[in-house]
Amino acid sequence: MLPMSQHAIDSLHTLRLRVREFAEARAWERYHNPKNLVMALSVEAAELLEPFQWLTPEQSRQLSAEQHEAVRQEIADVLIYLARLADLLDIDLLDAAADKLALNARKYPIEKSHGNALKYTDFQK
Amino acid sequence: MLPMSQHAIDSLHTLRLRVREFAEARAWERYHNPKNLVMALSVEAAELLEPFQWLTPEQSRQLSAEQHEAVRQEIADVLIYLARLADLLDIDLLDAAADKLALNARKYPIEKSHGNALKYTDFQK
Amino acid sequence: MLPMSQHAIDSLHTLRLRVREFAEARAWERYHNPKNLVMALSVEAAELLEPFQWLTPEQSRQLSAEQHEAVRQEIADVLIYLARLADLLDIDLLDAAADKLALNARKYPIEKSHGNALKYTDFQK
Amino acid sequence: MLPMSQHAIDSLHTLRLRVREFAEARAWERYHNPKNLVMALSVEAAELLEPFQWLTPEQSRQLSAEQHEAVRQEIADVLIYLARLADLLDIDLLDAAADKLALNARKYPIEKSHGNALKYTDFQK
């Protein structure tokens, strides 16, 4: 086991390589096709949903230290599968997010979206 | 609208700030509590699941250009909500992923996990 | 098109047969393996999640007629895939639910669960 | 504990009443608003996804007895939350499913859908 400091990951690119190594070291490539990975990612997203299901919105803003750590681990699982999927599909995660934010800025212009959570398909014509 | 080059995002930290600005410019803070955000993230994870539901694993490795772009956008949505959630809960995504990979390395030692997809709770004692 | 009254379905057993006919008439059996169907069911569950993501719990109790109808359709989709999956796996849905309720009654005894939403694994010893 | 035969549930209507009694006996009404219940249902749908994530479609058709029983319990959980949600929203599940099947028959006419899994929005004009 390496000392903890060795585990530092300083970019999404490094994360992607680490997750790839992790999978290859276990010969998990045959399980890691995109179909299976989106399933795994959905399972992790639901595990992130679970600790919040009975909380009020207010309680969800004030997690205990124990709840916060559990949530942090589930968030990590989602990111790990996202990095693995991006690796297999050769997608740059930050570029994809930047493009999507630019698209969302057009779909949700401030003058139509300020203070409401309407879906763009529901805007008044 | 800024020219596309202005939209470049070079780190998860920058993404987090951009997503925060996006929400604040629309006064969406009142909708963005952790409970609501994990729901939104799960919805996006399922939208990522949808294009794969009827594909074989083999087909999922060979997406058309159109399918690939659709998947790229859904992956971006998941990352955007992950960044927003991490911002609200003050979680460093890369640190969280590094810690979780270290934990997974202990839960899934190579000698027990090589070539199988068993959950660690199902290892033979 | 049959008149609407012909579409009446009076039991889960009838629903199961109707969904089977629907799939067979379209030669969808090759898509309907359990793996694909649980994916489809998860997608529908998330479509049911979507209209609630930005609502407060109080608002979720007071849906407009339009919201109620949209939710009714998503609930129907979940049940339809549940019936299809039960058919393929030869599971009696009501028996399964009865058995699970009996199990839950043992896992969540009234004296430990009254007025709280603790998971049984979190009960004080 | 009642003898097992007492637990028999002969219709969705009876299931709905049993689930309501179960919740009321534990004073869970305050947790059971529609927003929370759709989250719980999504969590259960993902627990149903989990045992299938690394299986091939072929393997998913040939579950071991142990896998089958685990899947049966997750299917039951989904149905239980569906019944609870339908109770709160006063929705008749079988009527909703019948209406949705009639709608799907119009959206997916046999001549356009035979042998393919295209979404109706992707049919050739």
Side-chain angles (χ1 to χ4, degrees):
Chain A
M1 194 74 194
L2 294 177
M4 217 50 179
S5 64
Q6 301 280 46
H7 292 292
I9 290 179
D10 60 1
S11 71
L12 274 177
H13 181 70
T14 305
L15 175 61
R16 181 169 163 163
L17 296 180
R18 287 283 181 86
V19 178
R20 187 196 299 173
E21 283 170 15
F22 193 97
E24 289 179 350
R26 285 159 186 79
W28 284 353
E29 295 96 328
R30 67 170 153 147
Y31 299 111
H32 283 191
N33 58 66
K35 182 180 176 96
N36 288 1
L37 286 169
V38 295
M39 291 179 78
L41 195 149
S42 254
V43 169
E44 297 302 337
E47 291 183 2
L48 178 55
L49 204 56
E50 189 182 12
F52 291 102
Q53 63 189 338
W54 309 123
L55 300 186
T56 64
E58 297 70 36
Q59 288 171 332
S60 84
R61 291 189 191 271
Q62 300 168 332
L63 301 180
S64 69
E66 190 184 3
Q67 288 172 317
H68 189 275
E69 176 55 25
V71 165
R72 185 174 176 268
Q73 290 197 21
E74 299 302 343
I75 284 176
D77 282 330
V78 175
L79 184 61
I80 287 168
Y81 279 121
L82 211 52
R84 184 68 179 134
L85 190 58
D87 193 22
L88 280 178
L89 295 174
D90 200 16
I91 288 170
D92 183 295
L93 285 173
L94 292 174
D95 281 356
D99 289 349
K100 198 54 171 37
L101 278 179
L103 180 62
N104 286 348
R106 290 194 294 275
K107 283 162 76 179
Y108 296 93
I110 292 173
E111 64 275 18
K112 290 200 176 178
S113 297
H114 195 274
N116 72 68
L118 288 176
K119 199 166 176 178
Y120 69 99
T121 46
D122 292 334
F123 290 142
Q124 295 292 329
K125 306 308 171 291
Chain B
M1 195 74 195
L2 294 177
M4 217 51 181
S5 64
Q6 301 279 45
H7 292 292
I9 290 179
D10 61 0
S11 71
L12 274 177
H13 181 70
T14 304
L15 174 60
R16 182 170 163 164
L17 296 180
R18 287 282 182 87
V19 179
R20 188 196 298 173
E21 283 169 15
F22 192 97
E24 289 179 350
R26 285 158 186 78
W28 284 353
E29 295 96 327
R30 66 170 152 146
Y31 299 112
H32 283 191
N33 58 66
K35 182 180 176 96
N36 288 2
L37 287 168
V38 295
M39 291 178 77
L41 194 148
S42 254
V43 169
E44 298 301 338
E47 290 183 3
L48 179 55
L49 205 55
E50 191 182 11
F52 292 102
Q53 62 190 337
W54 309 123
L55 301 187
T56 64
E58 296 68 36
Q59 289 170 330
S60 83
R61 292 189 190 270
Q62 301 168 331
L63 302 180
S64 69
E66 190 185 4
Q67 288 172 317
H68 190 275
E69 176 55 24
V71 165
R72 184 174 177 269
Q73 290 198 21
E74 299 303 343
I75 284 177
D77 282 328
V78 175
L79 184 62
I80 287 168
Y81 278 122
L82 211 52
R84 183 68 178 132
L85 190 59
D87 192 22
L88 281 177
L89 295 174
D90 200 16
I91 287 169
D92 184 293
L93 285 172
L94 290 174
D95 281 356
D99 289 351
K100 196 56 170 39
L101 277 179
L103 181 63
N104 285 349
R106 289 194 294 276
K107 282 162 78 180
Y108 296 93
I110 292 172
E111 64 274 19
K112 289 198 176 179
S113 297
H114 195 275
N116 72 68
L118 286 176
K119 199 168 177 178
Y120 69 96
T121 46
D122 292 333
F123 289 143
Q124 294 293 330
K125 305 306 172 297
Chain C
M1 196 73 196
L2 293 177
M4 217 50 181
S5 64
Q6 302 280 44
H7 292 294
I9 290 180
D10 61 359
S11 71
L12 275 177
H13 181 70
T14 305
L15 175 61
R16 183 168 161 165
L17 296 181
R18 287 281 182 88
V19 178
R20 188 196 298 172
E21 283 169 17
F22 192 97
E24 289 179 351
R26 285 158 187 78
W28 283 354
E29 294 97 327
R30 66 171 153 149
Y31 299 112
H32 283 192
N33 58 66
K35 182 180 176 100
N36 288 3
L37 287 170
V38 295
M39 292 179 77
L41 194 148
S42 254
V43 169
E44 298 301 339
E47 291 183 3
L48 179 55
L49 206 54
E50 191 182 12
F52 292 102
Q53 63 189 336
W54 308 122
L55 300 187
T56 65
E58 294 71 34
Q59 289 170 331
S60 83
R61 292 188 190 272
Q62 301 169 332
L63 302 180
S64 69
E66 191 184 4
Q67 287 172 318
H68 189 276
E69 176 54 26
V71 165
R72 184 174 177 270
Q73 290 196 21
E74 298 303 343
I75 284 177
D77 282 330
V78 174
L79 184 61
I80 287 167
Y81 278 122
L82 210 54
R84 184 69 179 133
L85 190 59
D87 192 22
L88 280 176
L89 294 174
D90 199 16
I91 286 171
D92 183 293
L93 286 172
L94 291 175
D95 280 356
D99 289 350
K100 197 55 170 36
L101 277 180
L103 181 63
N104 285 349
R106 289 194 295 274
K107 283 163 78 179
Y108 296 94
I110 292 173
E111 64 274 18
K112 290 198 176 177
S113 297
H114 195 274
N116 73 67
L118 287 176
K119 200 168 175 175
Y120 68 98
T121 45
D122 292 332
F123 289 142
Q124 294 294 327
K125 305 306 170 291
Chain D
M1 196 71 196
L2 294 177
M4 219 49 183
S5 62
Q6 302 280 46
H7 292 292
I9 290 179
D10 60 1
S11 72
L12 273 178
H13 182 69
T14 305
L15 174 61
R16 183 168 163 166
L17 296 181
R18 287 281 182 86
V19 178
R20 187 197 298 171
E21 283 169 14
F22 192 97
E24 289 180 349
R26 285 159 187 76
W28 283 353
E29 294 96 327
R30 66 171 153 148
Y31 299 112
H32 283 190
N33 58 67
K35 183 181 175 97
N36 288 2
L37 287 170
V38 295
M39 292 178 76
L41 194 148
S42 253
V43 170
E44 297 302 337
E47 291 184 3
L48 178 55
L49 206 54
E50 190 182 12
F52 292 102
Q53 64 190 334
W54 308 123
L55 300 187
T56 64
E58 296 69 36
Q59 289 169 331
S60 84
R61 292 189 190 270
Q62 301 169 331
L63 302 180
S64 69
E66 191 184 3
Q67 288 173 317
H68 189 275
E69 176 54 25
V71 166
R72 185 173 175 269
Q73 290 198 20
E74 299 303 342
I75 284 176
D77 282 329
V78 175
L79 183 61
I80 287 168
Y81 278 121
L82 210 55
R84 183 68 179 135
L85 190 59
D87 193 23
L88 281 177
L89 295 173
D90 200 17
I91 287 169
D92 184 293
L93 287 172
L94 291 174
D95 280 357
D99 288 351
K100 196 55 169 36
L101 278 179
L103 181 63
N104 286 348
R106 290 194 292 276
K107 284 162 76 179
Y108 296 94
I110 291 173
E111 63 274 19
K112 290 199 175 178
S113 296
H114 195 275
N116 72 68
L118 286 177
K119 202 169 174 175
Y120 68 98
T121 46
D122 292 333
F123 290 141
Q124 295 293 327
K125 306 306 169 293

